[in-house]
mmCIF file of all heavy atoms in Angstrom:
data_model
loop_
_atom_site.group_PDB
_atom_site.id
_atom_site.type_symbol
_atom_site.label_atom_id
_atom_site.label_comp_id
_atom_site.label_asym_id
_atom_site.label_seq_id
_atom_site.Cartn_x
_atom_site.Cartn_y
_atom_site.Cartn_z
ATOM 1 N N LEU Z 1509 -6.218 6.376 12.834
ATOM 2 C CA LEU Z 1509 -7.540 5.821 12.607
ATOM 3 C C LEU Z 1509 -8.464 5.981 13.803
ATOM 4 O O LEU Z 1509 -9.638 6.313 13.684
ATOM 5 C CB LEU Z 1509 -7.483 4.348 12.166
ATOM 6 C CG LEU Z 1509 -6.932 4.091 10.779
ATOM 7 C CD1 LEU Z 1509 -6.730 2.608 10.540
ATOM 8 C CD2 LEU Z 1509 -7.844 4.704 9.746
ATOM 9 N N ALA Z 1510 -7.938 5.735 15.002
ATOM 10 C CA ALA Z 1510 -8.721 5.850 16.222
ATOM 11 C C ALA Z 1510 -9.151 7.320 16.402
ATOM 12 O O ALA Z 1510 -10.268 7.596 16.830
ATOM 13 C CB ALA Z 1510 -7.925 5.391 17.424
ATOM 14 N N SER Z 1511 -8.266 8.244 16.065
ATOM 15 C CA SER Z 1511 -8.610 9.654 16.217
ATOM 16 C C SER Z 1511 -9.741 10.028 15.238
ATOM 17 O O SER Z 1511 -10.658 10.766 15.639
ATOM 18 C CB SER Z 1511 -7.358 10.504 15.939
ATOM 19 O OG SER Z 1511 -7.682 11.859 15.916
ATOM 20 N N VAL Z 1512 -9.641 9.577 14.006
ATOM 21 C CA VAL Z 1512 -10.705 9.840 13.029
ATOM 22 C C VAL Z 1512 -12.035 9.222 13.476
ATOM 23 O O VAL Z 1512 -13.058 9.884 13.428
ATOM 24 C CB VAL Z 1512 -10.272 9.330 11.640
ATOM 25 C CG1 VAL Z 1512 -11.438 9.388 10.684
ATOM 26 C CG2 VAL Z 1512 -9.120 10.127 11.083
ATOM 27 N N LYS Z 1513 -11.950 8.002 13.947
ATOM 28 C CA LYS Z 1513 -13.188 7.323 14.425
ATOM 29 C C LYS Z 1513 -13.809 8.076 15.588
ATOM 30 O O LYS Z 1513 -15.024 8.268 15.641
ATOM 31 C CB LYS Z 1513 -12.816 5.898 14.860
ATOM 32 C CG LYS Z 1513 -14.013 5.076 15.270
ATOM 33 C CD LYS Z 1513 -13.605 3.687 15.644
ATOM 34 C CE LYS Z 1513 -14.766 2.879 16.194
ATOM 35 N NZ LYS Z 1513 -14.344 1.555 16.652
ATOM 36 N N ALA Z 1514 -13.010 8.556 16.490
ATOM 37 C CA ALA Z 1514 -13.502 9.309 17.656
ATOM 38 C C ALA Z 1514 -14.151 10.648 17.212
ATOM 39 O O ALA Z 1514 -15.213 11.028 17.698
ATOM 40 C CB ALA Z 1514 -12.384 9.604 18.641
ATOM 41 N N ARG Z 1515 -13.525 11.289 16.255
ATOM 42 C CA ARG Z 1515 -14.134 12.563 15.745
ATOM 43 C C ARG Z 1515 -15.470 12.346 15.093
ATOM 44 O O ARG Z 1515 -16.416 13.065 15.270
ATOM 45 C CB ARG Z 1515 -13.151 13.276 14.804
ATOM 46 C CG ARG Z 1515 -12.006 13.969 15.590
ATOM 47 C CD ARG Z 1515 -11.174 14.707 14.614
ATOM 48 N NE ARG Z 1515 -10.404 13.674 13.890
ATOM 49 C CZ ARG Z 1515 -9.402 13.884 13.066
ATOM 50 N NH1 ARG Z 1515 -9.020 15.096 12.835
ATOM 51 N NH2 ARG Z 1515 -8.779 12.893 12.470
ATOM 52 N N ILE Z 1516 -15.548 11.272 14.270
ATOM 53 C CA ILE Z 1516 -16.826 10.932 13.602
ATOM 54 C C ILE Z 1516 -17.881 10.592 14.654
ATOM 55 O O ILE Z 1516 -19.034 11.099 14.569
ATOM 56 C CB ILE Z 1516 -16.613 9.800 12.636
ATOM 57 C CG1 ILE Z 1516 -15.766 10.256 11.416
ATOM 58 C CG2 ILE Z 1516 -17.980 9.252 12.165
ATOM 59 C CD1 ILE Z 1516 -15.311 9.105 10.527
ATOM 60 N N TYR Z 1517 -17.523 9.790 15.610
ATOM 61 C CA TYR Z 1517 -18.464 9.402 16.706
ATOM 62 C C TYR Z 1517 -18.949 10.624 17.424
ATOM 63 O O TYR Z 1517 -20.182 10.730 17.638
ATOM 64 C CB TYR Z 1517 -17.753 8.401 17.622
ATOM 65 C CG TYR Z 1517 -18.502 8.121 18.885
ATOM 66 C CD1 TYR Z 1517 -19.663 7.350 18.869
ATOM 67 C CD2 TYR Z 1517 -18.064 8.635 20.101
ATOM 68 C CE1 TYR Z 1517 -20.350 7.113 20.014
ATOM 69 C CE2 TYR Z 1517 -18.764 8.382 21.237
ATOM 70 C CZ TYR Z 1517 -19.909 7.597 21.209
ATOM 71 O OH TYR Z 1517 -20.569 7.358 22.375
ATOM 72 N N PHE Z 1518 -18.089 11.493 17.892
ATOM 73 C CA PHE Z 1518 -18.520 12.642 18.630
ATOM 74 C C PHE Z 1518 -19.312 13.642 17.775
ATOM 75 O O PHE Z 1518 -20.238 14.297 18.276
ATOM 76 C CB PHE Z 1518 -17.366 13.339 19.350
ATOM 77 C CG PHE Z 1518 -17.032 12.636 20.628
ATOM 78 C CD1 PHE Z 1518 -15.903 11.826 20.714
ATOM 79 C CD2 PHE Z 1518 -17.836 12.778 21.742
ATOM 80 C CE1 PHE Z 1518 -15.629 11.169 21.894
ATOM 81 C CE2 PHE Z 1518 -17.565 12.114 22.913
ATOM 82 C CZ PHE Z 1518 -16.442 11.308 22.999
ATOM 83 N N ARG Z 1519 -18.996 13.719 16.468
ATOM 84 C CA ARG Z 1519 -19.804 14.565 15.624
ATOM 85 C C ARG Z 1519 -21.238 13.999 15.529
ATOM 86 O O ARG Z 1519 -22.188 14.774 15.627
ATOM 87 C CB ARG Z 1519 -19.203 14.592 14.200
ATOM 88 C CG ARG Z 1519 -19.979 15.570 13.277
ATOM 89 C CD ARG Z 1519 -19.427 15.611 11.874
ATOM 90 N NE ARG Z 1519 -18.010 15.816 11.835
ATOM 91 C CZ ARG Z 1519 -17.181 15.082 11.112
ATOM 92 N NH1 ARG Z 1519 -17.623 14.142 10.329
ATOM 93 N NH2 ARG Z 1519 -15.864 15.328 11.125
ATOM 94 N N GLN Z 1520 -21.377 12.678 15.402
ATOM 95 C CA GLN Z 1520 -22.719 12.098 15.369
ATOM 96 C C GLN Z 1520 -23.436 12.317 16.679
ATOM 97 O O GLN Z 1520 -24.647 12.607 16.708
ATOM 98 C CB GLN Z 1520 -22.602 10.605 15.081
ATOM 99 C CG GLN Z 1520 -22.213 10.303 13.649
ATOM 100 C CD GLN Z 1520 -21.982 8.809 13.441
ATOM 101 O OE1 GLN Z 1520 -21.667 8.076 14.380
ATOM 102 N NE2 GLN Z 1520 -22.090 8.378 12.183
ATOM 103 N N MET Z 1521 -22.723 12.183 17.775
ATOM 104 C CA MET Z 1521 -23.346 12.362 19.095
ATOM 105 C C MET Z 1521 -23.777 13.826 19.262
ATOM 106 O O MET Z 1521 -24.891 14.074 19.774
ATOM 107 C CB MET Z 1521 -22.360 12.020 20.244
ATOM 108 C CG MET Z 1521 -22.009 10.522 20.257
ATOM 109 S SD MET Z 1521 -23.387 9.472 20.752
ATOM 110 C CE MET Z 1521 -23.409 9.783 22.485
ATOM 111 N N ARG Z 1522 -22.973 14.781 18.830
ATOM 112 C CA ARG Z 1522 -23.350 16.190 18.931
ATOM 113 C C ARG Z 1522 -24.584 16.472 18.071
ATOM 114 O O ARG Z 1522 -25.525 17.191 18.496
ATOM 115 C CB ARG Z 1522 -22.193 17.092 18.505
ATOM 116 C CG ARG Z 1522 -21.219 17.415 19.568
ATOM 117 C CD ARG Z 1522 -20.290 18.542 19.200
ATOM 118 N NE ARG Z 1522 -19.551 18.282 18.001
ATOM 119 C CZ ARG Z 1522 -18.413 17.590 17.913
ATOM 120 N NH1 ARG Z 1522 -17.874 17.053 18.992
ATOM 121 N NH2 ARG Z 1522 -17.797 17.422 16.756
ATOM 122 N N GLN Z 1523 -24.615 15.935 16.867
ATOM 123 C CA GLN Z 1523 -25.745 16.123 15.977
ATOM 124 C C GLN Z 1523 -27.024 15.561 16.583
ATOM 125 O O GLN Z 1523 -28.129 16.099 16.380
ATOM 126 C CB GLN Z 1523 -25.484 15.517 14.613
ATOM 127 C CG GLN Z 1523 -24.454 16.254 13.787
ATOM 128 C CD GLN Z 1523 -24.036 15.531 12.519
ATOM 129 O OE1 GLN Z 1523 -24.301 14.367 12.333
ATOM 130 N NE2 GLN Z 1523 -23.327 16.215 11.674
ATOM 131 N N ALA Z 1524 -26.886 14.496 17.361
ATOM 132 C CA ALA Z 1524 -28.065 13.873 17.987
ATOM 133 C C ALA Z 1524 -28.387 14.595 19.321
ATOM 134 O O ALA Z 1524 -29.363 14.203 19.997
ATOM 135 C CB ALA Z 1524 -27.806 12.390 18.202
ATOM 136 N N GLY Z 1525 -27.567 15.548 19.686
ATOM 137 C CA GLY Z 1525 -27.773 16.290 20.954
ATOM 138 C C GLY Z 1525 -27.408 15.545 22.174
ATOM 139 O O GLY Z 1525 -27.923 15.788 23.273
ATOM 140 N N MET Z 1526 -26.493 14.554 22.079
ATOM 141 C CA MET Z 1526 -26.142 13.713 23.216
ATOM 142 C C MET Z 1526 -24.703 13.768 23.633
ATOM 143 O O MET Z 1526 -24.384 13.174 24.648
ATOM 144 C CB MET Z 1526 -26.506 12.284 22.855
ATOM 145 C CG MET Z 1526 -27.968 12.068 22.701
ATOM 146 S SD MET Z 1526 -28.295 10.335 22.308
ATOM 147 C CE MET Z 1526 -28.598 10.506 20.565
ATOM 148 N N ALA Z 1527 -23.855 14.439 22.926
ATOM 149 C CA ALA Z 1527 -22.434 14.428 23.269
ATOM 150 C C ALA Z 1527 -22.102 15.559 24.224
ATOM 151 O O ALA Z 1527 -22.744 16.635 24.177
ATOM 152 C CB ALA Z 1527 -21.600 14.569 22.024
ATOM 153 N N PRO Z 1528 -21.112 15.361 25.077
ATOM 154 C CA PRO Z 1528 -20.639 16.472 25.896
ATOM 155 C C PRO Z 1528 -20.107 17.595 24.991
ATOM 156 O O PRO Z 1528 -19.586 17.334 23.946
ATOM 157 C CB PRO Z 1528 -19.558 15.878 26.738
ATOM 158 C CG PRO Z 1528 -19.449 14.473 26.414
ATOM 159 C CD PRO Z 1528 -20.374 14.150 25.282
ATOM 160 N N ALA Z 1529 -20.313 18.814 25.397
ATOM 161 C CA ALA Z 1529 -19.893 19.948 24.605
ATOM 162 C C ALA Z 1529 -18.332 20.028 24.534
ATOM 163 O O ALA Z 1529 -17.779 20.476 23.595
ATOM 164 C CB ALA Z 1529 -20.397 21.247 25.184
ATOM 165 N N GLN Z 1530 -17.685 19.535 25.592
ATOM 166 C CA GLN Z 1530 -16.214 19.560 25.635
ATOM 167 C C GLN Z 1530 -15.733 18.252 26.098
ATOM 168 O O GLN Z 1530 -16.434 17.495 26.780
ATOM 169 C CB GLN Z 1530 -15.783 20.625 26.618
ATOM 170 C CG GLN Z 1530 -16.187 22.020 26.282
ATOM 171 C CD GLN Z 1530 -15.859 22.994 27.394
ATOM 172 O OE1 GLN Z 1530 -15.250 22.622 28.364
ATOM 173 N NE2 GLN Z 1530 -16.238 24.243 27.197
ATOM 174 N N GLU Z 1531 -14.455 17.948 25.785
ATOM 175 C CA GLU Z 1531 -13.892 16.697 26.276
ATOM 176 C C GLU Z 1531 -13.771 16.762 27.791
ATOM 177 O O GLU Z 1531 -13.671 17.804 28.383
ATOM 178 C CB GLU Z 1531 -12.455 16.534 25.692
ATOM 179 C CG GLU Z 1531 -12.441 16.095 24.272
ATOM 180 C CD GLU Z 1531 -11.055 15.805 23.792
ATOM 181 O OE1 GLU Z 1531 -10.256 15.271 24.536
ATOM 182 O OE2 GLU Z 1531 -10.764 16.119 22.634
ATOM 183 N N GLY Z 1532 -13.813 15.602 28.398
ATOM 184 C CA GLY Z 1532 -13.684 15.523 29.847
ATOM 185 C C GLY Z 1532 -14.978 15.699 30.608
ATOM 186 O O GLY Z 1532 -14.999 15.535 31.816
ATOM 187 N N LEU Z 1533 -16.065 15.985 29.947
ATOM 188 C CA LEU Z 1533 -17.332 16.184 30.644
ATOM 189 C C LEU Z 1533 -18.129 14.859 30.723
ATOM 190 O O LEU Z 1533 -19.204 14.831 31.311
ATOM 191 C CB LEU Z 1533 -18.198 17.212 29.954
ATOM 192 C CG LEU Z 1533 -17.631 18.649 29.993
ATOM 193 C CD1 LEU Z 1533 -18.557 19.599 29.270
ATOM 194 C CD2 LEU Z 1533 -17.431 19.080 31.464
ATOM 195 N N GLY Z 1534 -17.658 13.829 30.137
ATOM 196 C CA GLY Z 1534 -18.319 12.531 30.232
ATOM 197 C C GLY Z 1534 -17.881 11.666 29.090
ATOM 198 O O GLY Z 1534 -17.410 12.100 28.079
ATOM 199 N N GLN Z 1535 -18.039 10.351 29.318
ATOM 200 C CA GLN Z 1535 -17.627 9.398 28.302
ATOM 201 C C GLN Z 1535 -18.823 8.465 28.025
ATOM 202 O O GLN Z 1535 -19.595 8.180 28.930
ATOM 203 C CB GLN Z 1535 -16.418 8.604 28.806
ATOM 204 C CG GLN Z 1535 -15.931 7.583 27.798
ATOM 205 C CD GLN Z 1535 -14.587 7.023 28.207
ATOM 206 O OE1 GLN Z 1535 -13.962 7.492 29.143
ATOM 207 N NE2 GLN Z 1535 -14.170 6.022 27.495
ATOM 208 N N TYR Z 1536 -18.866 8.009 26.807
ATOM 209 C CA TYR Z 1536 -19.937 7.077 26.441
ATOM 210 C C TYR Z 1536 -19.263 5.745 26.104
ATOM 211 O O TYR Z 1536 -18.197 5.698 25.475
ATOM 212 C CB TYR Z 1536 -20.686 7.573 25.206
ATOM 213 C CG TYR Z 1536 -21.595 8.743 25.555
ATOM 214 C CD1 TYR Z 1536 -21.080 10.016 25.618
ATOM 215 C CD2 TYR Z 1536 -22.931 8.526 25.809
ATOM 216 C CE1 TYR Z 1536 -21.934 11.061 25.973
ATOM 217 C CE2 TYR Z 1536 -23.775 9.590 26.125
ATOM 218 C CZ TYR Z 1536 -23.245 10.878 26.191
ATOM 219 O OH TYR Z 1536 -24.081 11.915 26.545
#
Side-chain angles (χ1 to χ4, degrees):
L1509 288 173
S1511 174
V1512 169
K1513 183 178 175 183
R1515 283 184 288 191
I1516 291 169
Y1517 169 72
F1518 278 104
R1519 183 181 312 130
Q1520 289 174 335
M1521 294 292 283
R1522 276 194 302 277
Q1523 289 172 347
M1526 294 180 257
Q1530 300 172 2
E1531 284 186 37
L1533 293 180
Q1535 181 168 351
Y1536 288 82

